[in-house]
Amino acid sequence: MHSQNLLDRRRFLAGSGVAGLLALVAACSGGAGTSTGASSQQSATGSLPATSKRGGTLRAGSPPPPTAVDPITMYDGTAIAIVQLVADYLIWLDKDFTLVPRLAERWETPDGGKTWSFALRHGVVFSDGTPLDAETVKASFDRLLDPDNKSAALSAFDTVLAKGGVAVKDPSTVVFTLERAFSDFPYLVSAGNYNTLILKKDYAGDFTKKPIGTGPFLLQSYDPSKGATLVRNPKYWEQGKPYLDGVEIKFYADDQADLLALQGGDVDTQILSRPALVSPLKGAGDIAIDQVKSTGFIALTLRTDQAPFDRKEVRQAVAYALDRPGVNATTYDGIGALGNDHLFAALFPAAPTDLPQRAKDPAKVAALLAAAGVSKLSFPLTFDPPSKDYALTVQSQLKEVGIEVTLDQRTSADFYGGDQEKDTPWLFTKANLVGWAGRAVPSQFIIPMVKSKAVWNGSKYANPALDAAATAYDAATTDADRKAQAEIIAKALNDDVPVIISVWSGNVRAYNGKKFTGVQAHPASYVDFTSVSAL
């Protein structure tokens, strides 16, 4: 989420910094031998709400993208928003993270999740008139699976889908053959893996110069310092949509300037709203706030292979030093949910319910440090600017129990730069804060983050029992089996504490409620303006 090219990892983590993708209770995943999704779930009429009207331009404020707006390599929330207005996915993730058919009408697995077949929507054309077909979809995924293209989508497919695993059955059917059974695979080819947009077969970069897609809008102009102008796509596949004539995105250098533009009427909504800034404005004047839970979080990552965090007791002591409700109040204006130092948010259906919630316990902190033979704990905490508020909160709270934290703020370029295999700060410093965008399924955290020798295992944690449970979780086809493996994983992480997850984030989106309706927050700060209309 909250959000986020410097490197493949940051592309994967960000969205709003951000902003999280979550599997909420209504999420569908397409079980073995079943079909998930149907075209009937999509509106074909485009009928307007009674209080709305067709036309108008929605003005949205957002920070400028730090790098090129490219569907393959983008990582920040602004670039993602622009591309999502122009291009489309096989599957969208609704704000409750139901899987919603887009370019794919339905999908099924005949063999327990090892092979997946996707039937494409008929009659879809790109904005230049080129028809959508299975060869085009295959080319899009072949491009993402090629390591030379450095797409963050590749990391999400690690150990699941390899180059060469996509085939064309017929012009309207694409088949994915996986490396192993993965029952949540539809999420990996959905907006939950935000680089998986379907592009033309001959796409070669320069998206802002040749912005061809199947989405609801056309990119009319783009200025990296000022913003973007988009107009309705007359060839959009969903009849009657979008309702708007266009979208104008204006870039602002910082959150305060963006907020002032909203309050002053220069923009009608924000792409990336910060809860702590906009929540107090709810109901004030024309400003309305939409709010959702998320599975994004800021991870306090501890190097388990270096002193002092090579002792489990020390890691546990830091975890027991945190006042989690206080973190929630300071960082998310109280709209987040308490974390318990494992990767299963309560919003994930398989989340364990019998693990006691970890809470601040100064006596426990002292006892754990004594058991580890540590009389005085101090350590540097490395982070980049989006995590500054969280860093200050951690520093203050740990000081209350006698733990000294020295803040080591880097630029984002420095924090995520360097050699990703040996010295990049976000993976190799002793303790750091990493803002992970939420994901639709927990495996999208577990696979790259905590499995032994995982690509983004900044804690250098290794646990064969967790590795086995994670593989079994991915292959599970029943809720009972999944919950059993989730409990093993969660208990291991909660006890070993390679990462401290104190709070799961919440997301908001502020907008002018007197002028527009249909503007919604999204767990990943994504934008879907197809149903937005003027009042």
Side-chain angles (χ1 to χ4, degrees):
M1 191 34 204
H2 321 28
S3 38
Q4 75 167 24
N5 186 4
L6 302 175
L7 66 95
D8 291 349
R9 169 265 159 210
R10 194 171 180 216
R11 300 183 193 116
F12 178 86
L13 305 187
S16 76
V18 134
L21 295 184
L22 59 159
L24 296 180
V25 289
C28 305
S29 64
T34 65
S35 174
T36 305
S39 58
S40 60
Q41 289 180 253
Q42 290 286 347
S43 167
T45 63
S47 58
L48 282 164
T51 58
S52 307
K53 60 184 179 182
R54 195 173 300 279
T57 297
L58 180 72
R59 300 166 301 165
S62 196
T67 56
V69 177
D70 186 332
I72 307 303
T73 61
M74 64 185 182
Y75 64 83
D76 69 283
T78 301
I80 292 169
I82 292 171
V83 174
Q84 287 177 340
L85 292 171
V86 176
D88 213 341
Y89 298 91
L90 292 177
I91 310 168
W92 181 252
L93 286 169
D94 213 343
K95 65 181 296 183
D96 67 354
F97 271 64
T98 299
L99 290 170
V100 180
R102 282 282 181 92
L103 300 183
E105 289 188 308
R106 59 187 179 276
W107 46 94
E108 61 185 5
T109 175
D111 55 6
K114 182 69 183 298
T115 305
W116 288 87
S117 177
F118 287 73
L120 303 182
R121 186 178 297 277
H122 292 283
V124 177
V125 297
F126 284 87
S127 54
D128 67 350
T130 303
L132 172 73
D133 60 14
E135 290 285 355
T136 302
V137 174
K138 179 182 183 303
S140 291
F141 282 96
D142 286 346
R143 189 182 298 116
L144 294 172
L145 292 167
D146 185 344
D148 291 342
N149 292 326
K150 302 184 186 307
S151 175
L154 183 62
S155 63
F157 291 128
D158 186 34
T159 76
V160 178
L161 177 66
K163 187 177 180 180
V166 189
V168 172
K169 180 179 180 181
D170 58 53
S172 298
T173 309
V174 181
V175 177
F176 296 84
T177 301
L178 310 187
E179 298 293 289
R180 58 189 175 92
F182 199 91
S183 59
D184 278 334
F185 180 71
Y187 287 101
L188 300 191
V189 295
S190 75
N193 191 3
Y194 56 75
N195 297 100
T196 60
L197 293 134
I198 304 304
L199 307 173
K200 287 189 63 179
K201 283 186 286 188
D202 61 356
Y203 177 74
D206 293 328
F207 185 81
T208 56
K209 295 180 180 178
K210 298 178 181 178
I212 300 172
T214 60
F217 295 94
L218 306 174
L219 182 60
Q220 192 174 59
S221 66
Y222 176 77
D223 185 318
S225 63
K226 295 181 179 180
T229 301
L230 302 102
V231 297
R232 181 192 293 124
N233 177 8
K235 295 184 174 68
Y236 184 52
W237 60 266
E238 190 169 7
Q239 183 181 350
K241 291 197 177 175
Y243 303 144
L244 296 168
D245 287 333
V247 176
E248 182 182 356
I249 298 177
K250 298 182 177 183
F251 296 158
Y252 294 94
D254 55 61
D255 293 334
Q256 288 290 349
D258 195 349
L259 186 63
L260 288 173
L262 178 67
Q263 291 178 294
D266 291 330
V267 297
D268 307 304
T269 188
Q270 296 177 307
I271 300 298
L272 308 174
S273 293
R274 282 184 58 189
L277 288 180
V278 305
S279 292
L281 301 178
K282 188 174 184 178
D286 296 340
I287 296 177
I289 309 292
D290 193 44
Q291 175 179 314
V292 293
K293 296 291 186 182
S294 170
T295 58
F297 58 91
I298 296 176
L300 172 47
T301 307
L302 306 173
R303 285 284 297 267
T304 62
D305 63 338
Q306 289 186 358
F309 299 123
D310 54 346
R311 292 294 300 270
K312 179 170 67 174
E313 296 90 348
V314 177
R315 303 193 299 270
Q316 290 176 341
V318 176
Y320 278 109
L322 292 177
D323 169 17
R324 293 161 197 254
V327 175
N328 189 14
T330 302
T331 309
Y332 299 113
D333 197 42
I335 70 172
L338 299 190
N340 205 19
D341 305 327
H342 59 71
L343 292 169
F344 290 88
L347 295 172
F348 290 136
T353 57
D354 58 348
L355 272 178
Q357 174 62 53
R358 185 163 279 153
K360 184 176 181 178
D361 189 339
K364 187 96 171 174
V365 173
L368 286 164
L369 291 178
V374 177
S375 58
K376 177 68 175 179
L377 178 60
S378 63
F379 62 90
L381 180 61
T382 308
F383 59 95
D384 72 332
S387 297
K388 183 177 180 178
D389 290 347
Y390 191 98
L392 290 168
T393 300
V394 168
Q395 182 188 47
S396 176
Q397 291 190 359
L398 267 59
K399 184 177 181 179
E400 293 176 5
V401 296
I403 300 175
E404 181 181 343
V405 176
T406 303
L407 299 185
D408 174 25
Q409 179 172 317
R410 313 285 185 93
T411 65
S412 293
D414 181 24
F415 187 66
Y416 296 115
D419 189 322
Q420 302 305 301
E421 295 184 359
K422 64 181 181 180
D423 63 11
T424 183
W426 81 277
L427 287 178
F428 289 94
T429 47
K430 183 172 295 187
N432 59 61
L433 297 177
V434 176
W436 288 78
R439 284 297 183 264
V441 291
S443 295
Q444 289 178 284
F445 295 131
I446 296 166
I447 292 172
M449 188 177 179
V450 294
K451 289 188 77 171
S452 301
K453 298 182 180 180
V455 61
W456 293 330
N457 187 338
S459 66
K460 312 311 173 191
Y461 176 64
N463 184 335
L466 180 144
D467 294 346
T471 299
Y473 177 91
D474 292 337
T477 57
T478 69
D479 289 342
D481 287 347
R482 185 165 297 193
K483 284 181 176 293
Q485 301 305 324
E487 184 172 353
I488 295 171
I489 298 167
K491 284 184 175 180
L493 293 174
N494 177 268
D495 185 55
D496 292 339
V497 204
V499 293
I500 295 173
I501 302 169
S502 61
V503 180
W504 298 92
S505 67
N507 279 353
V508 298
R509 178 163 284 133
Y511 66 99
N512 189 321
K514 298 293 179 63
K515 293 179 63 176
F516 290 91
T517 185
V519 177
Q520 296 183 336
H522 191 279
S525 292
Y526 288 172
V527 295
D528 183 358
F529 291 155
T530 56
S531 297
V532 173
S533 59
L535 291 171

